[in-house]
């Protein structure tokens, strides 16, 4: 059967996967997150920088899917360009980012439920974690019944989750007041809190660079998942559809995110947005339409997170399954059940996520910590995509390939340096666990771990030991 007639995931479902994987929890708190970190003018500058970087990444993914169809999954680009160990580092980071992102989804989901059940509002109460665990195991069970069927369900969920988002977009456009928007376009704002204290938003005290730095992590977080179609390219009806879906999905996301994060500055002042409860979109809509509006968006948020959570239950295990086929992880990770789903990878991922969920009882910054860790880990994977394009451009003597790769890699590495070093440091702890699996995979394949790989693993292990000590001693907090 030719490529056009084979069974698999169609273009609409792939676009839905890109959108649904990216639209999860972060979009619902973007107005308040940006208000804390930047004035409207600087937020637009940050969007220009982030949007350009993400579009470059999407273009690179599209190019590789079309021109290197033999490669499977985003982590395979690192392996093809820089060897097996680079492929492992990229793939393990991708897997790590996936289930840490699910932790963030879980805490925000519970905050949305908290609109109706106050004891869930913190996102890390005992009852909230029990409920989140039930949902997580349920989603694992759904994906274990087959990746393709889960992708179809994801398409339905994506359409449903866009309804409240579009409703908010319409209302915020109608409610927009240019005078409110321009009142503090670049200026400092002071915020009088409920406790009577007056403070200046962190956005306005550190200059433009500090504002951009504070905004980029949140902006990067809401794009985590755009590679969803690329990850499932091998399961697509046409592999070229994966690249198309990525470009279309990213453009749609940029429009949605900019409207939802910037236009609220024209409805409420920055000082009011800073004080808005989380998730901000819920309470902005409640202010517009009353309790019914808040309830409507809260329900939409729950559906939205369910869709993203489903996507991010599929994608990390697809990564580990592909790595097992490439000999970067033991074959056990790639074992498929009767539904052609990587069951072993699914369940070990779920067990680790469950353990992490339990630890959230001890931190009141669960959401921020989880999304920062997730974003930092995946930036490594994204950086390898740009670096691979640089190598291809150099080999092919094509400046049109070299330049997007160079700019994308520079953007991703700058993002790590600006906002993610502490979280990347903590992520090295989980990389040490991965080194054990990588060593076993090499041994089972009859291959030796190269001296340079051993040296890199030793260095990262020392860095991880220092991170663990800093965590235990309280020098770094969750």
């Amino acid at each position: 059967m030719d490529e056009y007639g084979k069974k698999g995931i169609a273009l609409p479902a792939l676009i839905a996967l890109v959108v649904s994987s990216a639209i999860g929890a972060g979009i619902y708190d973007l107005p308040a997150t940006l208000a804390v970190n930047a004035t409207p003018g600087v937020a637009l500058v940050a969007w220009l920088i982030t949007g350009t970087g993400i579009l470059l990444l999407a273009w690179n993914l599209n190019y590789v899917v079309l021109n290197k169809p033999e490669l499977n999954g985003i982590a395979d680009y690192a392996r093809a360009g820089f060897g097996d160990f680079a492929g492992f580092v990229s793939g393990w980071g991708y897997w790590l980012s996936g289930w840490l992102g699910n932790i963030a989804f879980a805490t925000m989901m519970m905050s949305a439920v908290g609109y109706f059940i106050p004891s869930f509002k913190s996102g890390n109460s005992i009852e909230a974690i029990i409920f989140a665990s039930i949902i997580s195991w349920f989603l694992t069970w759904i994906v274990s019944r087959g990746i393709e069927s889960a992708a179809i369900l994801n398409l339905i969920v994506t359409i449903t989750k866009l309804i409240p988002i579009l409703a908010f977009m319409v209302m915020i456009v109608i409610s927009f007041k240019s005078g409110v928007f321009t009142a503090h376009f670049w200026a400092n704002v002071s915020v009088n809190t409920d406790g009577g204290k007056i403070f200046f938003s962190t956005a306005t005290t550190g200059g433009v660079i500090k504002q951009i730095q504070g905004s980029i992590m949140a902006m990067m977080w809401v794009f985590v998942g755009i590679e969803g179609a690329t990850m499932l390219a091998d399961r697509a009806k046409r592999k070229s559809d994966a690249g198309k879906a990525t470009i279309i999905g990213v453009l749609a996301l940029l429009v949605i995110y900019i409207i939802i994060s910037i236009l609220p500055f024209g409805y409420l002042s920055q000082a009011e947005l800073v004080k808005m409860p989380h998730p901000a979109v819920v309470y902005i809509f409640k202010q517009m339409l009353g309790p019914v509006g808040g309830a409507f968006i809260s329900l939409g948020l729950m559906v939205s997170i369910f869709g993203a959570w489903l996507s991010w239950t599929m994608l990390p295990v697809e990564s580990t399954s592909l790595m097992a086929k490439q000999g970067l992880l033991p074959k056990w990770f790639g074992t498929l059940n009767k539904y052609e789903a990587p069951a072993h990878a699914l369940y070990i991922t779920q067990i680790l996520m469950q353990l992490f969920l339990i630890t959230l009882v001890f931190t009141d910054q669960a959401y921020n910590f989880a999304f920062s860790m997730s974003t930092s880990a995946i930036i490594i994977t994204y950086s390898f995509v740009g670096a691979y394009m640089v190598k291809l451009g150099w080999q092919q003597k094509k400046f049109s390939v070299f330049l997007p790769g160079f700019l994308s890699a520079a953007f991703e590495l700058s993002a790590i340096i600006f906002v993610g070093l502490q979280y990347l440091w903590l992520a090295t702890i989980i990389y040490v666990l991965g080194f054990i699996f990588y060593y076993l995979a090499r041994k089972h394949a009859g291959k030796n771990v190269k001296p340079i790989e051993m040296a890199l693993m030793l260095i990262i292990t020392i860095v991880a030991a220092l991170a663990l000590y800093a965590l235990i001693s309280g020098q770094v907090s969750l």
Side-chain angles (χ1 to χ4, degrees):
M1 190 176 289
D2 65 21
E3 187 187 22
Y4 286 84
K6 78 172 186 178
K7 290 183 178 180
I9 305 172
L11 179 61
L14 289 170
I15 295 172
L17 189 61
V18 173
V19 174
S20 185
S21 299
I23 292 181
I27 185 174
Y28 285 87
D29 213 34
L30 264 180
T33 303
L34 291 190
V36 168
N37 287 294
T39 57
V42 180
L44 283 171
V45 174
W47 270 124
L48 177 63
I49 295 170
T50 305
T52 301
I54 295 297
L55 282 171
L56 285 168
L57 173 63
W59 192 93
N60 292 337
L61 290 172
N62 181 53
Y63 181 88
V64 178
V65 166
L66 292 177
N67 293 277
K68 295 289 182 180
E70 70 276 11
L71 301 180
N72 294 308
I74 191 170
D76 206 18
Y77 308 154
R79 184 185 67 85
F82 307 102
D84 287 345
F85 187 68
F88 164 77
V89 169
S90 178
W92 192 257
Y94 187 79
W95 168 81
L96 175 60
S97 174
W99 63 266
L100 282 170
N102 282 344
I103 298 292
F105 295 150
T107 56
M108 188 60 82
M109 169 79 87
M110 295 308 100
S111 295
V113 175
Y115 186 86
F116 306 99
I117 307 173
S119 63
F120 281 57
K121 195 167 186 178
S122 68
N124 69 332
S125 63
I126 297 294
E127 52 266 54
I129 288 174
I130 291 172
F131 188 60
S133 300
I134 292 171
I135 295 174
S136 186
W137 281 102
F138 174 65
L139 290 174
T140 296
W141 177 79
I142 289 177
V143 176
S144 73
R145 308 289 288 181
I147 297 288
E148 282 84 359
S149 59
I152 294 170
L153 173 61
N154 187 66
L155 172 59
I156 297 169
V157 171
T158 300
I159 294 170
T160 305
K161 74 196 275 186
L162 286 175
I163 293 173
I165 290 173
L166 293 175
F168 180 81
M169 290 170 67
V170 170
M171 287 300 300
I172 202 65
V173 169
I174 293 172
S175 306
F176 183 81
K177 304 178 186 70
S178 59
V180 175
F181 185 69
T182 57
H184 294 287
F185 197 72
W186 302 105
N188 292 350
V189 296
S190 61
V191 180
N192 190 351
T193 66
D194 292 337
K197 289 185 178 180
I198 295 179
F199 68 93
F200 286 94
S201 169
T202 56
T204 60
T205 57
V208 172
I209 299 300
K210 190 71 175 177
Q211 293 181 54
I212 292 173
Q213 179 180 342
S215 303
I216 283 181
M217 179 65 85
M219 291 178 177
M220 290 286 289
W221 161 238
V222 295
F223 283 105
V224 171
I226 63 163
E227 70 293 331
T230 304
M231 286 303 302
L232 296 182
D234 208 38
R235 296 177 183 262
K237 282 189 175 181
R238 297 187 292 264
K239 202 158 189 178
S240 60
D241 282 349
K244 293 177 187 175
T246 304
I247 297 290
I248 295 169
V250 166
L251 289 172
L253 288 167
L254 267 172
V255 173
I256 292 170
Y257 289 156
I258 290 173
I259 290 174
I260 285 183
S261 65
I262 297 297
L263 293 194
F265 283 100
Y267 174 67
L268 297 171
S269 69
Q270 185 178 358
E272 290 172 315
L273 286 172
V274 169
K275 293 194 294 181
M276 192 62 59
H278 304 288
V281 169
V282 170
Y283 294 93
I284 294 173
F285 210 64
K286 179 182 178 181
Q287 187 165 323
M288 290 176 172
L289 298 178
V292 173
F296 175 68
I297 295 293
S298 291
L299 290 171
L301 173 56
M302 285 185 269
V303 173
S304 177
I305 293 175
F306 183 85
W309 201 339
L310 175 61
S311 297
W312 277 100
T313 303
M314 289 188 283
L315 298 179
V317 296
E318 187 72 4
S319 174
T320 52
S321 180
L322 290 170
M323 289 169 70
K325 290 179 183 179
Q326 296 154 2
L328 306 181
L329 286 175
K331 292 187 182 297
W332 183 88
F333 278 87
T335 303
L336 303 180
N337 62 15
K338 64 180 180 179
Y339 301 104
E340 298 297 307
H344 289 173
L346 263 172
Y347 290 118
I348 192 171
T349 301
Q350 175 56 32
I351 289 168
L352 285 169
M353 183 179 170
Q354 181 63 70
L355 293 172
F356 210 94
L357 275 172
I358 293 170
T359 67
L360 297 186
V361 176
F362 307 104
T363 176
D364 59 356
Q365 295 293 323
Y367 176 73
N368 288 337
F369 175 76
F371 95 68
S372 298
M373 284 278 287
S374 175
T375 306
S376 297
I378 207 167
I379 285 176
I380 294 295
T381 305
Y382 290 166
S383 298
F384 272 116
V385 176
Y388 181 52
M389 288 288 289
V390 168
K391 184 175 181 178
L392 284 178
W394 184 266
Q395 290 174 338
Q396 298 169 2
K397 295 181 170 56
K398 289 184 178 179
F399 188 69
S400 60
V401 177
F402 178 89
L403 183 61
F406 177 80
L407 293 176
S408 178
F411 168 74
E412 301 294 344
L413 291 172
S414 297
I416 293 175
I417 294 169
F418 276 149
V419 295
L421 283 178
Q422 175 177 308
Y423 298 105
L424 194 61
W425 186 32
L426 293 174
T428 58
I429 298 171
I430 306 175
Y431 263 99
V432 174
L433 172 64
F435 294 155
I436 298 171
F437 293 126
Y438 180 73
Y439 177 82
L440 291 174
R442 299 280 87 186
K443 185 177 180 181
H444 293 163
K447 298 179 180 179
N448 294 321
V449 177
K450 298 176 182 178
I452 184 64
E453 295 175 348
M454 289 294 293
L456 289 171
M457 285 192 284
L458 178 61
I459 292 170
I460 294 172
T461 300
I462 293 171
V463 171
L466 294 172
L468 186 62
Y469 173 77
L471 194 61
I472 293 172
S473 64
Q475 297 176 36
V476 174
S477 58
L478 296 182

